[in-house]
Amino acid sequence: MRSRRVLITGVGSFLGTEIARRLETDPEIDYLAGMDERPPRARLERMDFIEADIRNPVIAKLIPQAEVDTIVHNKIVRRPGPGMSARSAHDINVIGSLQLLAACEKADTLRAIVVRGSAGVYGSEPAAPQFFTEEMARRYPLRTRFQRDVAEIENYFDTFSRRHPQVVCTMLRYQPSIGPSLDSQITRYLSQPLVPTYLGFDPRLQFVHEADAIDALVAAIKNPVRGPVNVAAPGTIGLTRMVRMAGRPTLPLLPGLFGTVTDAGRRVGMHSISPDFRRLLRYGRGIDITRLVEEVGYTPRHSTVDAVEDYVRTQRGRRLVPVFREAVAR
Amino acid sequence: MGTEAGSGNGAGAGGQPPPPPRDPRDPRAVRTGAFPGAFPIGPAISFLRRLRAGLDAGRDLPVALAEAGGTLPRDLRVALDRLLHRLAGDYQEDEWGFDEEFADALLPFLEFLYDRWWRVETIGARNVPSHGRALLVANHAGILPWDATMISVGMLREHPLPRYPRFLVLDWAFQLPYVSVAMRKLGGVVASPYNALRLLEQDELVAVFPEGVKGAGKQFKERYRLQRFGRGGFVELALRTGSPIVPVAVVGSEEIYPKLGEAPVMARLLGAPYFPLTPTFPWLGGLGTVPLPSRWRIEFAEPIDTARFGPDAAEDRSFVFELSEQVRETIQNKVYENLVARGSAFF
């Protein structure tokens, strides 16, 4: 595909803006449009900003007018931010995706859809394979609301791509992103003065560095493949190790009390922990990225440990536990 | 920072006779000194004095620690240094969560069990390939996976080029607090063919117990009889990855928890695969989990080369069953042989 015309939803988010910025400077991209109800975080010269709510049926008129060949769906809410209810997050995720697909039905020029989905669809299971591959998505019951949302979204796009074989639909399943400039559930979790953990659990976690998250998506736009693709940094990190690297004291809680205590912590200004994230903190999750490397052709540059280190480096001076390293052995 | 002079003080502070010369290449030399049993009182007091002096002089805690640390014996300093590094998150875990440093730290305890408690004799460790993928297939008995840890210690002690085996653990263990963490840090992974496949493709040494729960929960009277080997999944894995199969016979683990009966109601309440009743458990509470000191023998048998059959042989059901049965018989025969060689179970 030469000279591409691309539209991005959710361009007002950090990653949405960064992806738009990357695509703007790309000579292969002829035309770029960005859609969101809030403006992008930086001034973008070439991008056409379409101010529209993805839940609004009016996008079925706006999107075909843009005559794009590729749509990047980046408007999936992983964690309801402050002032957003779980209900409206669900609406944006599910109804928004439905409206987007309704608009896609009318866009004749469309050839590819790339969705920034979530590896949350695999869930966090103690007895699961330690590295999920793409075909292992429905092995366990869908336990949390977010997990059900993601599964539903995947279903819609799956059905769409079967009914429209001329459109290549790539479902990128992202592990949580981490990095110096990102504000995500995991960075909020690590920035608390006291980090709640499950007593007796130290799960393996896997992230993707923010730079790799952007580049992997750009790579998928350049080389769209059909079906789901896992996106994560190679390797995993233990929760305890990560919290220690960030220099935070932990608050180990009995599993039965975790919900009660963290909900109470909300009232004194600590961040809320979604049910989905809770399961992650208890059982962890790892995914296999062979398909990303071999079929999409993108190899992440940062390992999970590197990504966490990169985040921690920018947090220097905010450590709460003093560094005793090199203290004794000389 | 004055640590040079400090270490000189430290050597003289205890006033003890010089320790017997140790081979510097012996890796245990450092470990034994760091063990709490050998905690030096004299140096500890001078350490605390200097720490207080440092703090009184208005230094930061890490700096004061560094200066006072010079008074400690070297072994203790190294151990303390490792501990502080770990507290800063400075340690390695591979993608499976295996933490070699943690495993090494636990080794003295496991070696105590190996040498003194169970007096394990390991035969044929050289049959395990020293590099590349391989599948250890062992019989399983005793309710907790002590046999897996003893196979590891046997490998580390007797093999000329030792390496840690990874073992597949019943998934139930991964729901438990602490147990799950200890398992993964020692090289355990969830018993799933996908995990085993990935490990073998990474050229690791993988230990499996095809008897599974049936093996761990067998009655005392049938303790030396191997149970059915599942569906032969381990043979498929070995064929598909071209990994040699090393049959391993463990004798002695059958006696550590003589299982007399079961309490299915308790098992259902706890969500456990079964709830054993032994002469000591659950009557003595936590004390009931202390394994009995039986005498053990571990034999690694001749490896079976599977690469020559090719990966397609994994599709052939009857061949897979045949090979699985062959491995089972080898282990069963080795168990009987070693029973005879062992003699009395406890003395």
Side-chain angles (χ1 to χ4, degrees):
Chain A
M1 266 186 258
R2 301 200 55 79
S3 70
R4 305 276 297 265
R5 295 172 67 84
V6 181
L7 182 141
I8 310 174
T9 66
V11 78
S13 75
F14 168 76
L15 282 177
T17 305
E18 287 305 308
I19 292 159
R21 202 207 291 264
R22 184 72 49 88
L23 293 177
E24 251 196 355
T25 55
D26 198 310
E28 276 181 44
I29 310 278
D30 262 8
Y31 170 78
L32 184 67
M35 197 175 81
D36 210 338
E37 74 267 8
R38 46 185 183 171
R41 305 216 172 171
R43 258 178 65 80
L44 296 163
E45 299 289 334
R46 277 175 58 198
M47 190 186 83
D48 262 351
F49 178 58
I50 305 171
E51 192 174 346
D53 189 330
I54 195 165
R55 287 165 290 183
N56 193 329
V58 77
I59 64 166
K61 291 206 175 65
L62 296 173
I63 287 178
Q65 280 170 17
E67 291 188 336
V68 291
D69 55 54
T70 304
I71 288 181
V72 179
H73 185 31
N74 178 48
K75 187 79 185 173
I76 291 173
V77 183
R78 276 133 235 275
R79 132 202 81 83
M84 187 192 280
S85 68
R87 171 94 227 161
S88 63
H90 165 82
D91 273 3
I92 291 174
N93 290 347
V94 174
I95 307 300
S97 296
L98 269 180
Q99 294 291 1
L100 181 71
L101 284 174
C104 291
E105 297 266 1
K106 296 190 181 133
D108 306 324
T109 51
L110 191 66
R111 289 294 165 271
I113 305 177
V114 180
V115 187
R116 191 165 86 83
S118 168
V121 72
Y122 298 114
S124 298
E125 301 289 337
Q130 274 164 279
F131 292 90
F132 287 107
T133 56
E134 281 80 357
E135 65 272 19
M136 294 183 198
R138 297 297 171 79
R139 292 167 67 94
Y140 299 94
L142 303 169
R143 295 185 202 274
T144 64
R145 185 169 203 164
F146 179 68
Q147 208 186 341
R148 283 192 295 273
D149 281 4
V150 179
E152 209 174 333
I153 295 168
E154 289 204 356
N155 265 350
Y156 294 149
F157 281 95
D158 201 33
T159 316
F160 181 88
S161 70
R162 257 185 283 124
R163 283 175 44 207
H164 300 268
Q166 80 280 10
V167 179
V168 176
C169 189
T170 311
M171 176 60 63
L172 299 175
R173 289 181 181 152
Y174 273 78
Q175 284 280 37
S177 316
I178 194 170
S181 32
L182 196 67
D183 174 31
S184 70
Q185 196 155 18
I186 188 72
T187 59
R188 283 172 174 224
Y189 172 75
L190 281 179
S191 65
Q192 297 177 105
L194 201 55
V195 176
T197 58
Y198 280 96
L199 183 70
F201 287 91
D202 183 11
R204 296 156 50 252
L205 302 173
Q206 191 181 28
F207 303 110
V208 56
H209 190 276
E210 56 187 34
D212 283 323
I214 296 161
D215 290 348
L217 204 127
V218 174
I221 295 170
K222 297 274 173 69
N223 179 23
V225 296
R226 275 180 200 280
V229 179
N230 288 340
V231 181
T236 60
I237 187 169
L239 174 66
T240 306
R241 185 179 171 204
M242 177 177 75
V243 175
R244 283 181 186 171
M245 278 165 70
R248 299 279 149 178
T250 58
L251 174 67
L253 298 170
L254 280 174
L257 294 176
F258 193 88
T260 323
V261 173
T262 51
D263 284 348
R266 261 178 91 175
R267 291 166 198 229
V268 296
M270 283 166 79
H271 294 296
S272 65
I273 298 180
S274 70
D276 202 65
F277 197 56
R278 267 180 216 167
R279 283 192 67 83
L280 190 69
L281 292 179
R282 188 160 175 184
Y283 299 124
R285 183 201 308 133
I287 61 177
D288 175 81
I289 55 164
T290 312
R291 190 155 194 239
L292 176 72
V293 174
E294 287 178 2
E295 291 183 37
V296 178
Y298 182 73
T299 310
R301 283 161 303 172
H302 302 263
S303 74
T304 296
V305 177
D306 289 348
V308 172
E309 265 171 1
D310 203 20
Y311 162 75
V312 167
R313 216 169 287 134
T314 58
Q315 301 294 305
R316 193 177 285 165
R318 295 195 216 163
R319 289 184 69 94
L320 292 175
V321 179
V323 186
F324 288 112
R325 241 191 282 196
E326 320 289 328
V328 177
R330 289 293 162 90
Chain B
M1 280 209 174
T3 44
E4 298 305 314
S7 58
N9 279 352
Q16 292 149 344
R22 268 192 300 229
D23 185 356
R25 283 162 303 174
D26 181 2
R28 268 167 298 163
V30 176
R31 273 201 302 272
T32 45
F35 224 60
F39 194 82
I41 304 290
I45 291 171
S46 55
F47 168 76
L48 289 175
R49 271 205 199 112
R50 287 188 59 157
L51 180 62
R52 202 183 64 187
L55 288 175
D56 286 348
R59 294 189 179 89
D60 284 340
L61 186 59
V63 179
L65 268 179
E67 292 186 4
T71 63
L72 298 173
R74 189 167 181 285
D75 293 356
L76 193 61
R77 259 189 298 149
V78 170
L80 212 56
D81 178 55
R82 277 321 309 163
L83 184 73
L84 294 178
H85 269 79
R86 287 188 73 88
L87 286 177
D90 182 15
Y91 56 96
Q92 299 297 318
E93 288 171 335
D94 72 0
E95 62 169 23
W96 301 92
F98 171 59
D99 183 347
E100 190 160 357
E101 203 174 80
F102 179 85
D104 279 345
L106 220 61
L107 205 55
F109 168 66
L110 295 178
E111 281 180 333
F112 162 77
L113 290 177
Y114 185 90
D115 288 327
R116 310 252 173 254
W117 197 254
W118 286 316
R119 297 145 289 164
V120 187
E121 239 177 283
T122 300
I123 306 127
R126 279 166 188 273
N127 285 328
V128 182
S130 53
H131 52 81
R133 54 190 74 173
L135 197 61
L136 300 177
V137 181
N139 59 321
H140 192 29
I143 288 134
L144 298 175
W146 290 114
D147 40 4
T149 59
M150 288 302 112
I151 290 173
S152 291
V153 178
M155 258 299 289
L156 293 177
R157 292 280 292 271
E158 306 294 334
H159 200 277
L161 287 168
R163 53 176 166 159
Y164 274 101
R166 309 304 182 89
F167 44 94
L168 301 195
V169 185
L170 185 66
D171 26 9
W172 181 66
F174 281 88
Q175 300 177 15
L176 303 174
Y178 296 110
V179 179
S180 54
V181 182
M183 284 296 163
R184 77 160 173 78
K185 282 189 178 252
L186 292 173
V189 299
V190 174
S192 150
Y194 299 102
N195 285 339
L197 203 63
R198 191 179 168 97
L199 278 169
L200 288 172
E201 279 167 358
Q202 291 171 352
D203 284 333
E204 291 287 349
L205 179 63
V206 182
V208 294
F209 301 89
E211 286 177 273
V213 196
K214 298 191 298 300
K218 58 190 159 197
Q219 294 284 329
F220 191 62
K221 60 174 189 259
E222 54 184 29
R223 58 192 180 279
Y224 302 121
R225 170 151 295 279
L226 264 65
Q227 304 291 307
R228 181 169 59 84
F229 266 16
R231 292 171 215 93
F234 72 95
V235 175
E236 275 180 51
L237 286 171
L239 287 170
R240 202 165 293 160
T241 55
S243 323
I245 295 176
V246 184
V248 185
V250 182
V251 166
S253 58
E254 295 88 349
E255 285 95 3
I256 60 175
Y257 298 119
K259 191 185 130 197
L260 305 175
E262 273 190 49
V265 179
M266 281 304 288
R268 203 157 322 141
L269 276 177
L270 295 174
Y274 61 92
F275 190 86
L277 302 174
T278 73
T280 53
F281 186 82
W283 331 115
L284 298 182
L287 217 57
T289 58
V290 175
L292 299 183
S294 53
R295 185 185 280 278
W296 284 36
R297 280 174 77 90
I298 299 174
E299 178 164 355
F300 296 91
E302 290 274 314
I304 300 166
D305 175 26
T306 56
R308 65 197 158 104
F309 302 118
D312 294 335
E315 312 295 331
D316 186 350
R317 281 268 111 211
S318 64
F319 179 70
V320 167
F321 271 121
E322 198 180 303
L323 203 56
S324 164
E325 194 50 33
Q326 185 193 332
V327 174
R328 203 189 83 97
E329 255 165 46
T330 310
I331 299 173
Q332 182 72 75
N333 289 338
K334 290 284 179 197
V335 165
Y336 288 145
E337 274 175 34
N338 281 291
L339 266 177
V340 174
R342 178 182 67 161
S344 162
F346 287 96
F347 303 104

